Amino acid sequence: MKFSHREKKDLFFAGLMISLAFAILLSGGYRALFSSNLSFIFIFAAAFFTAGLGFLLHEIMHKHIAQSYGLKAEFQAFYPMLWLAIVFSFFGFIFAAPGAVMIQSFRPLSKEKNGKISIAGPGTNIILAIIFLILLLVFGNQSAILGYGLTINSLLAAFNMIPAMPFDGAKILAWNKGIYTITLLVAIGLFVASFIL
């Protein structure tokens, strides 16, 4: 899998800014301004290894599946939306549309191919959430990072299943309603479990 110079830069900054937005949110929004440097650095590291990693792998898997069909695919960051995510995080919530994998095809994609490319993203977040869940069950609530990992990745999966364009959910639903329903229910179930454990 090859990445252009621009794509590497966009992935780096998008991952960094998403991690920062979640770090601010997890630090209590505007209260992050009054956090000690040490505690914020720890929370930023936790956000990077959960939200940042989840976001990057989500987008890379879209690209990988698209390229497996012989399509040209490149991630492009949406910097205005990334800055907006950081601003929103100070007010206690995040609405993020950090960017997308742009796919070039000489012919319209079939619903099946489009659906499979789309499900690669939230599917990756579900796998990551399950890994964090297993680690939580094995090690208990000893590490906040594991809890963050389960919550954030299940949320990313569920959020991307919104059945409206340009979200992945719209393309998955158009391809296969059964797979859409199962994926959405698993994502929501994992998100609910993150508050029970």
Side-chain angles (χ1 to χ4, degrees), residues 15 40 42 77 85 100 103 107 120 155 175 177-178 187 191 196:
F40 187 78
F42 169 77
I103 299 169
R107 290 179 292 184
L155 178 61
W175 162 48
K177 291 181 175 61
F191 184 65
I196 297 172

Side-chain angles (χ1 to χ4, degrees), residues 6 9-11 13-14 17 77-84 97-98:
R6 173 186 170 172
K9 183 195 77 171
D10 278 6
L11 283 167
F13 281 109
M17 293 171 77
F78 301 156
Y79 287 99
M81 293 304 294
L82 284 164
W83 285 114
L84 202 57

Side-chain angles (χ1 to χ4, degrees), residues 95-141:
F95 181 83
V101 172
M102 301 300 177
I103 299 169
Q104 291 184 12
S105 176
F106 295 110
R107 290 179 292 184
L109 284 176
S110 67
K111 288 183 179 179
E112 181 181 0
K113 285 184 179 179
N114 212 5
K116 287 179 178 178
I117 291 168
S118 298
I119 203 170
T124 298
N125 293 123
I126 285 173
I127 291 169
L128 288 171
I130 290 171
I131 291 170
F132 282 114
L133 173 61
I134 292 169
L135 292 173
L136 266 173
L137 294 173
V138 171
F139 297 106
N141 258 335

Side-chain angles (χ1 to χ4, degrees), residues 147-178:
Y148 291 156
L150 173 57
T151 303
I152 291 171
N153 278 285
S154 57
L155 178 61
L156 286 172
F159 180 75
N160 275 279
M161 293 303 292
I162 292 173
M165 291 298 285
F167 296 101
D168 295 323
K171 290 164 273 189
I172 298 167
L173 183 61
W175 162 48
N176 190 305
K177 291 181 175 61

Side-chain angles (χ1 to χ4, degrees), residues 84-97:
L84 202 57
I86 291 174
V87 171
F88 284 157
S89 68
F90 281 106
F91 296 95
F93 69 98
I94 287 180
F95 181 83

Side-chain angles (χ1 to χ4, degrees), residues 21-36 40 86-93:
F22 272 98
I24 293 167
L25 180 70
L26 295 171
S27 297
Y30 70 90
R31 289 187 290 275
L33 295 170
F34 308 103
S35 300
S36 70
F40 187 78
I86 291 174
V87 171
F88 284 157
S89 68
F90 281 106
F91 296 95
F93 69 98

